[in-house]
Amino acid sequence: MKIVLIHGQNHKGSSYHMGRMLADKLAEEKDITEFFLPRDLNHFCLGCYSCIEDETKCPYWSEKKIILDALEQADLFILTTPNYCLAPSGAMKSFLDLLFDCWMVHRPKEWMFTKRAVVFSASAGAPCKKAMQPIKDSLFYWGVTYIKTYGLPVQAMNWDMVKPERKAKIEKEIDHIASKIDCSKPPLIGFKTNFIFNIMKMTHVKGWDSSPVEKDYWQERGWLGKTRPWKK
Ligand SMILES: Cc1cc2nc3c(=O)[nH]c(=O)nc-3n(C[C@H](O)[C@H](O)[C@H](O)COP(=O)(O)O)c2cc1C
C-alpha cells in the first residue's frame, strides 16, 4: 500500500505522530512519502484564478505538481493538523486553497475517486471536529469518498508531554482504524458523491462554469453524459 502523508505543520508533534503511527502500521518505509507544510509548499493562494484556465499557470505549480503526482500514486492519503484556534493550521488551509481547482465544481481528477483518506488532529482540550472539517470537505469535493477522521485532545504541547496511558489509547484506536483499511479494491462510491457529481454535471451542462475550459474538460471525459470517473 502506498501512502502519502501531508502534515499541516513542520514539526513532529502529536498530530504528526498519530498520522505516522497509522502509516507505519499499514506500509513499509519505502512506500511512505511525507510532505510538511509550509516547508514543501510555502505559499498562499493569490486569488488570481490562473488555475481555472490552466492548472499549470498557478504561480506555485512546480511545487503543487510534486504533491499532486505523489497523491496520484498513493492508495491512501493521511492528512494531519494541530487544532489552531478551532481550525486547521494556516499552512494546511493554504494547501487546501491551492487545490481548489481540483474541486468537483471545477476540474476534479479522475484518480481522486479511487483514493482513501484519514485525517488526524490533536488539540489541547477542545473538540477537534472543526479543525478536521475543512480538510474533510476538500477531500470530499476533490472526489475522495472514503474519509475517516480521528481527533483527540491530548492535553499537551508536544508528543513527549502526552501521558503514556493516553498514548496507549491512541495506539489501540489507530489499530482499529488500520484494521478497517483495505486498499485491495476501489472504495465504494457513496450516494453523496454520486448526487453532488450529478449536480456539478448539471451546472456544466447549463454552462454555469467558471470558464468554458471547465465544460470542455467535463465534455472530453464524457462526464456530461453517462460516463463517470469511478467507472472503468
Ligand atoms: C496557535 C495555536 C492555537 C491553538 N488553539 C487551540 C485551540 O483552539 N484549542 C485547543 O484545545 N488547543 C489549541 N492549541 C493547542 C494545540 O492544539 C495542542 O497543543 C496540540 O496537541 C498540538 O498538536 P501538535 O503536537 O501536533 O502540534 C493551540 C496551539 C497553538 C500553537
Side-chain angles (χ1 to χ4, degrees):
M1 184 187 305
K2 283 199 185 318
I3 299 180
V4 166
L5 291 111
I6 300 181
H7 301 292
Q9 66 286 345
N10 286 340
H11 62 271
K12 296 183 175 178
S14 304
S15 315
Y16 166 86
H17 279 281
M18 295 193 304
R20 186 69 212 205
M21 193 183 283
L22 179 66
D24 288 337
K25 286 179 190 298
L26 292 171
E28 294 174 33
E29 183 66 35
K30 67 174 176 48
D31 292 322
I32 299 174
T33 305
E34 288 186 297
F35 295 97
F36 292 84
L37 305 171
R39 187 193 75 182
D40 297 317
L41 185 57
N42 191 5
H43 304 286
F44 295 109
C45 173
L46 301 174
C48 66
Y49 290 103
S50 304
C51 61
I52 290 296
E53 300 302 325
D54 178 348
E55 65 180 356
T56 69
K57 295 285 184 285
C58 171
Y60 313 122
W61 173 242
S62 56
E63 287 146 274
K64 261 173 75 172
K65 185 178 183 320
I66 294 168
I67 300 180
L68 280 169
D69 286 349
L71 290 174
E72 184 173 1
Q73 297 309 313
D75 302 298
L76 178 71
F77 309 161
I78 297 176
L79 291 93
T80 77
T81 181
N83 179 329
Y84 283 171
C85 306
L86 302 181
S89 69
M92 176 59 81
K93 179 64 169 67
S94 294
F95 168 71
L96 300 177
D97 292 348
L98 286 166
L99 263 67
F100 107 110
D101 56 315
C102 298
W103 275 45
M104 269 191 254
V105 68
H106 301 297
R107 294 191 315 270
K109 306 212 173 283
E110 288 92 338
W111 49 263
M112 283 286 188
F113 295 86
T114 66
K115 307 300 182 187
R116 290 173 168 82
V118 184
V119 182
F120 287 95
S121 183
S123 72
C128 294
K129 195 167 176 231
K130 286 185 180 168
M132 296 190 288
Q133 192 62 44
I135 304 174
K136 208 177 159 193
D137 288 341
S138 274
L139 286 163
F140 174 78
Y141 285 101
W142 295 346
V144 180
T145 59
Y146 180 101
I147 308 167
K148 299 288 168 207
T149 56
Y150 181 79
L152 195 73
V154 293
Q155 293 174 342
M157 288 187 281
N158 56 57
W159 186 240
D160 287 343
M161 281 173 67
V162 180
K163 291 195 179 116
E165 55 272 26
R166 200 170 296 260
K167 282 186 179 164
K169 170 185 156 71
I170 291 169
E171 172 123 40
K172 193 169 160 213
E173 289 172 348
I174 292 179
D175 268 337
H176 180 71
I177 296 170
S179 72
K180 301 273 177 209
I181 296 175
D182 172 10
C183 293
S184 63
K185 46 186 185 292
L188 290 175
I189 298 298
F191 168 80
K192 194 176 155 198
T193 297
N194 218 325
F195 179 74
I196 296 291
F197 191 90
N198 278 302
I199 300 282
M200 297 308 155
K201 169 191 151 177
M202 288 312 297
T203 65
H204 295 296
V205 167
K206 292 204 175 288
W208 297 340
D209 319 86
S210 303
S211 155
V213 169
E214 291 180 351
K215 186 168 188 171
D216 294 346
Y217 182 91
W218 279 66
Q219 183 85 60
E220 281 159 20
R221 285 158 181 76
W223 297 346
L224 299 183
K226 294 217 178 307
T227 309
R228 293 291 171 265
W230 54 86
K231 283 187 190 157
K232 281 272 177 278

